[in-house]
């Protein structure tokens, strides 16, 4: 194992991370938590109030947040239709808080797992029930970096050929590594 997931033989997966890899992954997840933001109004003691809480009705202005919380109807390039805009607004208002909570939970889960390494490298074992947290957290990071890098399917191959002097190079390396982590976790889940 060299920074990628492998089947652990018990239905789970394992990954050996050196101190640097664990630190980078933890830092990215903490930045994801900052991007997603805290729960609105903090954690409520009233589960009924949380059940009926409404989220925003407007799409986020930040392209990375828009990628994480896309419009349900239409989106960029869709025909302008007031009904579609109204439906998207309603859908967002009633679903975004739950989606944010799930993304926050996934990122926190991964941070806690990495904290279990004690600030050093080591082997992390991922139980089958924890796969959704890992896949969700890695996917969210990759979507965010892809948005920041303005990656499209057509130019993804060009990322491999960026010169070392390109200021995007560290983000591109992280983006490609996250893709490899996702792929290796999916393969470990299958095997």
């Amino acid at each position: 194992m060299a920074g990628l997931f492998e089947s652990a033989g018990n239905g789970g997966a394992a990954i050996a991370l050196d101190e640097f890899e664990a630190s980078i992954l933890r830092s990215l997840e903490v930045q994801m938590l900052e991007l997603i933001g805290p729960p609105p109004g903090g954690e409520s003691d009233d589960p009924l109030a949380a059940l009926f809480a409404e989220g925003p009705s407007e799409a986020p202005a930040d392209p990375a947040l828009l990628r994480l919380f896309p419009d349900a109807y239409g989106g960029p390039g869709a025909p302008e239709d007031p009904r579609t805009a109204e439906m998207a607004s309603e859908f967002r208002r009633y679903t975004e808080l739950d989606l944010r909570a799930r993304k926050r939970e996934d990122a926190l889960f991964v941070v806690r797992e990495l904290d279990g390494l004690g600030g050093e490298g080591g082997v992390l074992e991922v139980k089958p029930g924890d796969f959704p947290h890992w896949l969700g957290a890695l996917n969210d990071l990759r979507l965010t970096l892809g948005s920041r890098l303005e990656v499209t399917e057509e130019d993804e191959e060009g990322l491999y050929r960026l010169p070392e002097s390109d200021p995007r190079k560290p983000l591109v390396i992280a983006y490609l590594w996250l893709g490899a982590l996702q792929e290796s976790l999916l393969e470990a889940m299958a095997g």
Side-chain angles (χ1 to χ4, degrees), residues 63-150:
L65 283 173
L66 186 57
R67 186 70 177 104
L68 291 172
F69 308 107
D71 276 331
Y73 305 96
E80 294 289 326
D81 178 357
R83 270 192 25 223
T84 302
E86 184 180 329
M87 289 186 316
S89 176
E90 287 293 302
F91 186 83
R92 180 176 298 284
R93 184 170 8 159
Y94 294 113
T95 61
E96 188 169 312
L97 290 181
D98 287 340
L99 188 54
R100 282 182 183 265
R102 185 180 54 79
K103 291 179 181 302
R104 192 178 299 110
E105 182 183 322
D106 290 344
L108 276 170
F109 182 87
V110 171
V111 167
R112 289 182 183 124
E113 290 285 296
L114 293 166
D115 285 349
L117 294 176
E120 300 175 12
V123 176
L124 272 176
E125 301 225 2
V126 181
K127 298 177 195 132
D130 298 336
F131 287 157
H133 290 300
W134 276 92
L135 287 171
L138 292 172
N139 189 58
D140 290 342
L141 286 175
R142 195 155 190 268
L143 287 173
T144 300
L145 287 178
S147 175
R148 295 282 189 241
L149 291 166
E150 299 177 351

Side-chain angles (χ1 to χ4, degrees), residues 5 8 14-15 29 31-33 40-41 48 51 72 80 112-113 124 144 154 161 166 181 185 187:
F5 288 96
I15 184 170
E29 290 296 353
Q31 290 175 56
M32 176 59 64
L33 288 166
L48 199 53
L51 181 65
E80 294 289 326
R112 289 182 183 124
E113 290 285 296
L124 272 176
T144 300
E154 295 81 37
R161 294 185 295 276
D166 192 307
L181 286 176
L185 182 53
E187 288 173 0

Side-chain angles (χ1 to χ4, degrees), residues 5 135 138 177-189:
F5 288 96
L135 287 171
L138 292 172
W177 179 53
L178 291 168
L181 286 176
Q182 277 182 296
E183 187 175 336
S184 68
L185 182 53
L186 288 168
E187 288 173 0
M189 288 169 58

